Amino acid sequence: MNFDKRTRRPVLLAASIGVTAALVLSACSAAGTAPAAKAPSPADVDAAAAAALPARYKEAGTIKVASDIPFPPMEMFDDNQNLTGFDYDLAQAMGAKLGVTMDLQTQSFDSIIPSLQSGKHDVIMSGMNDTPERQKTIDFVDYLHAGFSILVPAGNPGKIATVLDLCGKDVAVQKATVQAEILRGYDAECTAAGPGPMKIAELPLETDVQTAVRSGKAVADVVDSAVASYAAQTAGGGTMFEVVRDPANPAGYNPVYTGIGVLKKDSGLSQALLLALQAVVADGSYAEILKKYDMGDYAVDAAGLNLGT
């Protein structure tokens, strides 16, 4: 199985935030709804994007966004319990172009697509990877292109140098993400090499995964590179974890697109979101948000629909 680079390197929003703090923030967000989103200003509206927005969203004045909060640095709470993160900032910029509020609401990742299908939410914005399998159910407005990394305890006691060093070992990933599928793609190689397939534990939250690694229940966490880098920089003041640097894959494994998920029947909404994203790119806001989180290397060359293959 051929894996390639795809990494994001976010800056610290609050250097003191570590795994323990993240667990506390997870509890704070469990009620299901994040703090109120910002109201759009008429001066920020993009005429083309606003005109394309279906009437029911204009009338509601709100697009309900399903988001697995917290998932630093994509969505998280700051020290004052205000929602922040790359997805949040981008959603606010796009909402301003559409003339509506983009309201991020907490939804567990393993039920995030059903939350659209039930009508609970209108779109997904939660660092979700655009994959052919998911495209069977939803469309994607793609806004990032990055990869996966291996997060290990500081000092790398398992001496993990490449993904094949995980063969036969206990590895943790978040439930319902694509990382488990990727790692199972190495089963044949791992079996041929001797140690056998990786022993993959799928846990509900990324914070649970990091706790498993900290406690020694797993030798590594395989996760989006932005999340891995953020954890390595922030947890315990940057002393708890490190990211494995594979010389053959210097920017991470398996480059894929990340996008906003929209039901296929809501193609008008997808088109409006695409126009809003293009407007945010054109006015420089997209670049500013990428810079804020040190994710400039992972910008899409051009905003598009269903770029994942």
Side-chain angles (χ1 to χ4, degrees):
M1 205 169 177
N2 183 30
F3 285 87
D4 204 3
K5 64 179 183 176
R6 180 186 157 231
T7 301
R8 299 170 237 170
R9 288 184 289 274
V11 296
L12 311 186
L13 201 76
S16 62
I17 296 177
V19 170
T20 302
L23 290 168
V24 172
L25 296 179
S26 176
C28 291
S29 66
T33 302
K38 300 173 183 176
S41 166
D44 294 327
V45 172
D46 179 82
L53 187 65
R56 68 189 182 98
Y57 299 107
K58 294 178 186 177
E59 292 165 3
T62 301
I63 295 173
K64 294 176 291 183
V65 183
S67 192
D68 182 25
I69 306 168
F71 191 60
M74 304 307 289
E75 38 268 326
M76 54 191 168
F77 290 95
D78 65 18
D79 291 339
N80 297 316
Q81 298 303 297
N82 294 315
L83 188 59
T84 187
F86 183 87
D87 280 341
Y88 175 79
D89 287 359
L90 184 60
Q92 301 317 300
M94 292 176 63
K97 298 299 182 186
L98 294 166
V100 298
T101 298
M102 297 277 281
D103 184 17
L104 271 69
Q105 301 177 352
T106 302
Q107 180 69 41
S108 62
F109 198 80
D110 59 358
S111 60
I112 208 163
I113 292 178
S115 80
L116 263 62
Q117 295 170 321
S118 70
K120 180 180 177 182
H121 295 108
D122 304 315
V123 303
I124 296 167
M125 200 164 183
S126 192
M128 177 174 271
N129 298 133
D130 174 358
T131 66
E133 184 64 28
R134 287 173 176 157
Q135 285 179 22
K136 295 176 183 178
T137 306
I138 59 178
D139 288 324
F140 287 90
V141 179
D142 292 317
Y143 60 91
L144 280 177
H145 189 248
F148 305 118
S149 289
I150 302 170
L151 186 70
V152 297
N156 194 4
K159 306 302 179 186
I160 306 301
T162 75
V163 69
L164 292 178
D165 290 330
L166 299 176
C167 293
K169 296 183 171 63
D170 293 305
V171 181
V173 301
Q174 186 177 4
K175 186 178 180 181
T177 61
V178 298
Q179 282 88 329
E181 178 184 349
I182 289 170
L183 295 180
R184 291 188 180 107
Y186 285 103
D187 283 358
E189 277 187 87
C190 287
T191 298
M198 301 171 206
K199 302 168 187 175
I200 303 168
E202 297 184 63
L203 304 177
L205 299 172
E206 174 57 23
T207 47
D208 299 330
V209 177
Q210 292 178 19
T211 297
V213 174
R214 289 178 61 207
S215 66
K217 293 180 179 178
V219 298
D221 169 9
V222 177
V223 65
D224 286 357
S225 293
V227 177
S229 184
Y230 184 85
Q233 293 180 57
T234 61
T239 63
M240 287 185 179
F241 299 112
E242 65 182 69
V243 178
V244 171
R245 305 299 180 188
D246 181 351
N249 296 275
Y253 295 91
N254 191 33
V256 297
Y257 286 93
T258 294
I260 302 169
V262 188
L263 289 176
K264 288 187 173 296
K265 68 178 183 179
D266 291 333
S267 58
L269 178 56
S270 296
Q271 289 297 327
L273 289 168
L274 177 60
L275 289 170
L277 179 57
Q278 290 171 339
V280 169
V281 171
D283 75 3
S285 300
Y286 177 66
E288 290 176 4
I289 297 168
L290 286 165
K291 183 178 180 180
K292 177 180 177 180
Y293 296 95
D294 196 17
M295 293 166 62
D297 289 344
Y298 316 112
V300 291
D301 293 332
L305 290 172
N306 297 326
L307 300 176
T309 58

